[in-house]
Amino acid sequence: MGLTVNIVTALCIYSTLFIVILFLYVIVTRLREILREQKVQQLRDYYQPSILAYIENPGNATAILPETNLQYEAIELTMSDIVNYVNSEEQLVTISSYMNQHFTKRYEQALKSNKWSKRMNTLYFVGDFRLKSLESLLLQMINRETITEDERNEILIILAKFQHDHLLELVLKQPHLSIFTYQLMLTASNEQLLEMFVANYDSLPYKMQLSLIQVVGEKKLLKYIGFLEERLTSDDKEVRVRVLKSMYELDYLPDPRYQEFVSSPHWEERLFIAKMLEQWIDSKYVRDLRVLNMDEHYLVGETAGRALSFLFPEHNDLLVESAIGRGSE
């Protein structure tokens, strides 16, 4: 009995000691992290004026040459903050040139790390700073069997930023991307890449087709109105809705083809027609607006009613309340 008590007591002491040691380890580790973060922040505050001066006028300012890990991290984070609000292409080129020159080897090693988080964080920096010096390594990575989905998606977005010549071929090898990835990739693409995607629309994955239609509207690419018009005849409702949305964003009304959508069985199509007619305040659309104002879907009726109120401000009785009670489709 006494032996058992001694064993239990010893176990309690050792357990308590282990917990205390573990607690002290966590505290010390966290304190070291805090001190390191403080040092990095001090360096950032110190470097920022010099970095801004260099970016604004690289010919008359001296570039900072990092030597320690803390200096690299401070410059990296400072540049990352700056690149997000710089609008000048010249300044973006200056940032990219500096990072290519001083961070390529560091990022190359990081991309070969066994730690997924380190590789992902590095990919974000590579894309932000447009480090084309690492393009060949990215192409090697995307063809590896062990690559993760997140890495693959980010690399495709980066290659779009690089305006990679064979991006279409790479995309067609990756048919299971998300709409969000396609949108980011297409948004990053230049006019030449977008022309190639439009020309090969029929061979694109379905989700990419939808994203391409959407990006045409978001980027205000009026040159592709004909491309959108062709898609209006699609049997796919989602395609037609996205086409109408892009036309709305382009401030374009497909007259007289829009009339077939006034009585569409799909409220989303009727809604975008109502939005278009609201943009094009014209008395010749009154008849269609009155039909839409009586729509059983609240948003459609409300939008058409607003348009009518602009046309006939003195006749509020034209603003027939949408039948909210009847619900939506």
Side-chain angles (χ1 to χ4, degrees), residues 4 58 64 73 80 86 111 124 158 175 181 204 206 242 252 258 260 271 294 312 318 325:
T4 303
I64 299 171
E73 187 174 340
S80 181
V86 166
L111 289 174
Y124 293 138
I158 293 171
T181 298
L204 300 179
Y206 175 68
R242 287 181 182 252
Y252 175 78
Y258 80 88
E260 64 188 85
L271 175 61
M294 296 293 294
F312 305 102
L318 285 173

Side-chain angles (χ1 to χ4, degrees), residues 37 40 53 63 142 150 176 215:
E37 291 170 359
V40 171
I142 202 171
D150 290 332
H176 303 299
V215 169

Side-chain angles (χ1 to χ4, degrees), residues 85-86 123 133 136 142 166 188 194 263 265 274 296:
Y85 69 79
V86 166
L123 285 173
S133 54
S136 59
I142 202 171
H166 302 290
L194 287 174
S263 56
E296 63 183 17

Side-chain angles (χ1 to χ4, degrees), residues 250-296:
L250 290 169
D251 197 19
Y252 175 78
L253 179 67
D255 196 357
R257 293 185 63 186
Y258 80 88
Q259 292 175 341
E260 64 188 85
F261 295 101
V262 172
S263 56
S264 166
H266 307 293
W267 70 266
E268 298 96 334
E269 293 180 340
R270 302 195 304 273
L271 175 61
F272 280 111
I273 294 302
K275 284 177 172 287
M276 291 178 190
L277 296 180
E278 184 183 15
Q279 283 180 323
W280 291 74
I281 300 298
D282 193 311
S283 58
K284 69 179 181 179
Y285 302 128
V286 169
R287 180 177 178 180
D288 295 317
L289 284 170
R290 284 177 172 169
V291 172
L292 292 168
N293 185 217
M294 296 293 294
D295 199 279
E296 63 183 17

Side-chain angles (χ1 to χ4, degrees), residues 129-145:
F129 299 134
R130 299 190 293 188
L131 298 187
K132 290 205 70 173
S133 54
L134 293 170
E135 186 170 8
S136 59
L137 178 57
L138 297 180
L139 292 173
Q140 292 175 24
M141 289 178 64
I142 202 171
N143 289 318
R144 292 176 187 165
E145 292 183 0

Side-chain angles (χ1 to χ4, degrees), residues 23-39:
F23 176 75
L24 290 174
Y25 172 78
V26 171
I27 294 296
V28 171
T29 301
R30 181 55 187 151
L31 285 175
R32 291 178 63 184
E33 290 176 355
I34 291 173
L35 289 174
R36 190 178 192 284
E37 291 170 359
Q38 289 176 345
K39 290 179 181 179

Side-chain angles (χ1 to χ4, degrees), residues 70-242:
L70 289 179
Q71 290 174 341
Y72 271 105
E73 187 174 340
I75 293 172
E76 178 182 67
L77 294 174
T78 302
M79 286 291 197
S80 181
D81 286 343
I82 294 172
V83 79
N84 288 324
Y85 69 79
V86 166
N87 293 320
S88 166
E89 183 63 27
E90 185 178 348
Q91 292 179 347
L92 288 173
V93 169
T94 298
I95 294 173
S96 180
S97 176
Y98 175 88
M99 297 301 290
N100 268 287
Q101 183 178 354
H102 299 290
F103 280 74
T104 295
K105 289 184 179 179
R106 183 179 178 86
Y107 286 161
E108 186 174 353
Q109 292 176 350
L111 289 174
K112 295 177 181 178
S113 169
N114 291 326
K115 293 182 178 180
W116 173 85
S117 59
K118 189 171 185 178
R119 297 196 305 272
M120 282 301 302
N121 286 332
T122 302
L123 285 173
Y124 293 138
F125 284 129
V126 169
D128 288 344
F129 299 134
R130 299 190 293 188
L131 298 187
K132 290 205 70 173
S133 54
L134 293 170
E135 186 170 8
S136 59
L137 178 57
L138 297 180
L139 292 173
Q140 292 175 24
M141 289 178 64
I142 202 171
N143 289 318
R144 292 176 187 165
E145 292 183 0
T146 56
I147 190 171
T148 65
E149 182 178 352
D150 290 332
E151 289 175 292
R152 178 197 62 187
N153 294 348
E154 192 60 33
I155 288 174
L156 287 172
I157 294 168
I158 293 171
L159 292 175
K161 292 179 179 179
F162 291 173
Q163 317 307 331
H164 183 64
D165 293 335
H166 302 290
L167 183 58
L168 176 60
E169 298 172 24
L170 289 172
V171 170
L172 294 179
K173 292 178 181 178
Q174 315 286 342
H176 303 299
L177 303 178
S178 67
I179 284 185
F180 181 67
T181 298
Y182 284 128
Q183 285 177 289
L184 290 177
M185 184 178 63
L186 291 168
T187 300
S189 300
N190 64 3
E191 188 172 334
Q192 184 178 355
L193 272 180
L194 287 174
E195 284 183 359
M196 178 178 62
F197 290 134
V198 169
N200 292 274
Y201 174 85
D202 291 333
S203 63
L204 300 179
Y206 175 68
K207 290 180 181 179
M208 189 173 182
Q209 291 178 339
L210 297 179
S211 298
L212 180 58
I213 292 170
Q214 182 170 328
V215 169
V216 166
E218 292 173 347
K219 285 197 165 192
K220 310 297 182 185
L221 302 176
L222 283 166
K223 63 184 290 185
Y224 295 121
I225 283 295
F227 163 76
L228 294 178
E229 287 267 14
E230 292 176 9
R231 262 68 264 160
L232 268 184
T233 59
S234 172
D235 293 331
D236 190 304
K237 169 205 161 187
E238 189 63 30
V239 169
R240 296 195 306 273
V241 169
R242 287 181 182 252

